Amino acid sequence: MRSSGEDGAKPAQRSSRRAASFERVLDLLLPQRCLGCGAGGAVLCAGCLDGLPRLVAPFCARCGAPTAWPVRRCRECAGRRLAFVSAHAAVAYEGAVRGVVAGWKERGLRRLVTLAADLVSEAVPRPEVAVLCFVPPDGDRSLRRGHHPAERLARELGRRWELPVEPLVRRARPVARQRGLPLAERRRNVAGAFVAAGRAPASVAVVDDVYTSGATAASAASALRKAGARRVEVVTFARAIR
Ligand SMILES: [Zn+2]
Ligand SMILES: [Zn+2]
């Protein structure tokens, strides 16, 4: 399977690429304010970058929750059927990280994706997989924004880890917004939401921006497993901490 290259782009990809380069120009021209503290000068000042809530071991080996000591399963994931073997994230989804994710998702600030990829590749071990893929965009929202954050992060990580990036997962149906839904509903909301785009490679890592309940990652992993993947890892920039 080919990932979308420079040539052979569909019109929708070209227009989203145009939108992305327009954003990049704006990104360079507009005066920057730190997303953490509002100070002028940089999209994230040195102090706020230093202060990002990085996740440090020990973790739950399965879902990546920070724990008091290393465990194979934790309170958060015990008893849950998870189609992935491990989930890793660089930072906690709190404080300035929320601003970083919003700036990158809602405003398409490109340099934040680079920053996120730097933080992930520093904190997260290179996945033991053959291919990276990403949680696919919800059609309407990604078209409106003209870019797709999880794919951008996957591509940045693919460069750093020297792993190919392929669109292996598709949405089986539109999914209501996860934000604001209680845990049980999040799981119901995304169950069966994804299908593999074809036969999946034996080992894959799914990249997404934020791991909240794990429901989205588990659903995408499950689609890959059904399509033949034996090992699915999950990598996200941020992780909600409960
Ligand atoms: Zn700051
Ligand atoms: Zn766990």
Side-chain angles (χ1 to χ4, degrees), residues 60 62-65 73-74 76-77:
C60 168
R62 191 60 176 272
C63 77
R73 284 280 197 157
C74 70
E76 194 177 314
C77 70

Side-chain angles (χ1 to χ4, degrees), residues 86-112:
S86 66
H88 294 278
V91 293
Y93 187 54
E94 59 193 37
V97 171
R98 286 177 179 275
V100 169
V101 171
W104 148 32
K105 289 181 76 160
E106 320 285 337
R107 292 163 58 198
L109 297 175
R110 286 201 152 222
R111 64 189 73 176
L112 291 179

Side-chain angles (χ1 to χ4, degrees), residues 27 43 85 89 99 116 146 206:
D27 206 9
V43 73
V85 291
V206 181

Side-chain angles (χ1 to χ4, degrees), residues 42-154:
V43 73
L44 200 65
C45 74
C48 287
L49 179 59
D50 265 1
L52 288 181
R54 289 168 174 78
L55 293 172
V56 287
F59 299 113
C60 168
R62 191 60 176 272
C63 77
T67 46
W69 50 82
V71 291
R72 296 168 67 85
R73 284 280 197 157
C74 70
R75 217 174 29 173
E76 194 177 314
C77 70
R80 282 179 67 190
R81 289 162 59 96
L82 295 172
F84 54 82
V85 291
S86 66
H88 294 278
V91 293
Y93 187 54
E94 59 193 37
V97 171
R98 286 177 179 275
V100 169
V101 171
W104 148 32
K105 289 181 76 160
E106 320 285 337
R107 292 163 58 198
L109 297 175
R110 286 201 152 222
R111 64 189 73 176
L112 291 179
V113 183
T114 319
L115 172 78
D118 286 343
L119 291 165
V120 171
S121 58
E122 277 164 29
V124 172
R126 183 181 186 272
E128 294 167 39
V129 297
V131 184
L132 298 182
C133 69
F134 46 88
V135 170
D138 171 329
D140 288 352
R141 267 181 269 146
S142 83
L143 280 181
R144 196 167 60 231
R145 290 198 212 112
H147 71 278
H148 178 41
E151 179 176 357
R152 280 194 187 174
L153 177 60

